Structures are given as structure tokens and as C-alpha cells.
Amino acid sequence: MKTSISLLVGSTNPVKIAAAREAFGAVFKNCEILCRGISSPSGVADQPMTREDTRLGAINRARFCENQGGADYFLAMEGGVDCFEDGPATFAYVAIVHQGRLSVGRSAQLPLPPRVYQALQQGQELGHVMDALFNTVNVKHAGGAIGLLTANAATRGSSYTQALILALAPMLHPELYELSTC
């Protein structure tokens, strides 16, 4: 009989739910992954425009899930944008809570075209801007801007999956992460 691990994801977006299932399935190969998503508030703008807001949105969603209870792990993914020294980029923060312990990680970042970033600064959301630019519909529930800009060599889901796997490291080896050195 397979052991099961239950996940509560702070989103109803099928890309985020699938990424959670895939990440945990890759790490816990001999376990059945029971995964469900719920609508959860981020406490930040629909389109976070800074690293700080993006990180906070992921943590807020994961903590909201934790407060709902009923799972082994509570997690969330929050996509955002910021302007870095090399230009504007999109990325995601992930937050995982297990037995009261929080682990936060971040995905790789994708450079954004200047005109996309300018539209975001004017209050538009990345998914809507990309849909208009590439003549797609609801790309945020598919490959996302990442898929569109990389010819689907990478996708929104693959970015979330990798970030979640990496954020699980402190939970897999808690004895190695007890003291922060920063």
C-alpha cells in the first residue's frame, strides 16, 4: 500500500495545481500525491511589481492554506515582475508550509520585452498583455509568458515545479537548515 501525502495549494489555477503534484511526485516517488487547490488571498496586487510583494503574496497564500488545515503540506506560487540591473523580468516565489515550518523559494527569471513591462507599469496583468501580444486566450492557464517567449522550451508550470522541488530541500533535511547563516 502506497503512503499518501496531501497538498493544499493556494490557487485554483490548473497549472499551479499540476506543478505542485509534479514537484511532490518527483521528490516523493513512492507516495500517492493527493492535491487540491483553493482560492486564497495574496494580500498584494493582482500583478505584483516587486520581488518583495511577490514573495509576500506566496507566503500569504500558503499561510492562508495552513489556516484551513486538512493537509500535510500547504503551498502557494506567486508570479511577479520587477526591474533588475539587467532589465525587467518575470519570476515566481513559492512558499511551502509543513508542520508549521515555512520554506520559501524562487524560480528562474525570464527577461521581459520593454513594451510588456511598460504595459504592466500601467496596471495591466502579464497574462492579459501576453494574450494580446501573441493572440492567445488565457495563456496563464497554459504555458504562460515563459512558454510564449521560449517557444515552449520552458513553461510556467516547469518553472513552478523546479522552484517547488528546490524549496522542499529544507524540509527533506531539516537538521541541516536549523540555523540561518545570513
Side-chain angles (χ1 to χ4, degrees):
M1 176 184 258
K2 266 188 168 181
T3 304
S4 65
I5 294 175
S6 59
L7 313 177
L8 185 57
V9 180
S11 177
T12 58
N13 184 318
V15 172
K16 293 180 179 184
I17 295 167
R21 185 177 292 111
E22 185 175 338
F24 277 75
V27 172
F28 300 103
K29 291 176 178 48
N30 296 319
C31 294
E32 178 184 18
I33 306 302
L34 308 172
C35 185
R36 68 184 179 93
I38 62 168
S39 181
S40 61
S42 69
V44 299
D46 289 342
Q47 178 59 73
M49 294 297 291
T50 66
R51 290 164 275 213
E52 297 80 11
D53 277 357
T54 308
R55 182 178 186 277
L56 179 61
I59 292 169
N60 287 346
R61 289 180 193 274
R63 290 291 191 196
F64 178 86
C65 289
E66 179 186 30
N67 289 335
Q68 305 309 301
D72 299 311
Y73 290 85
F74 307 95
L75 55 144
M77 294 143 265
E78 187 76 26
V81 299
D82 207 337
C83 194
F84 298 91
E85 52 276 6
D86 297 313
T90 185
F91 52 89
Y93 269 94
V94 299
I96 304 171
V97 180
H98 176 62
Q99 297 177 345
R101 191 173 181 157
L102 172 69
S103 180
V104 178
R106 205 187 101 171
S107 72
Q109 64 187 42
L110 172 74
L112 286 175
R115 72 183 197 187
V116 170
Y117 186 66
Q118 289 165 357
L120 300 177
Q121 287 180 303
Q122 294 169 3
Q124 296 184 52
E125 285 187 52
L126 182 58
H128 299 154
V129 173
M130 297 307 291
D131 280 340
L133 188 62
F134 283 85
N135 197 28
T136 54
V137 176
N138 203 14
V139 74
K140 69 182 186 178
H141 284 196
I146 295 168
L148 291 173
L149 292 171
T150 66
N152 285 312
T155 64
R156 189 174 192 211
S158 69
S159 178
Y160 291 146
T161 299
Q162 182 186 47
L164 287 166
I165 289 170
L166 298 177
L168 274 169
M171 294 180 173
L172 297 172
H173 304 280
E175 71 284 357
L176 298 176
Y177 292 87
E178 287 179 3
L179 299 174
S180 174
T181 58
C182 295

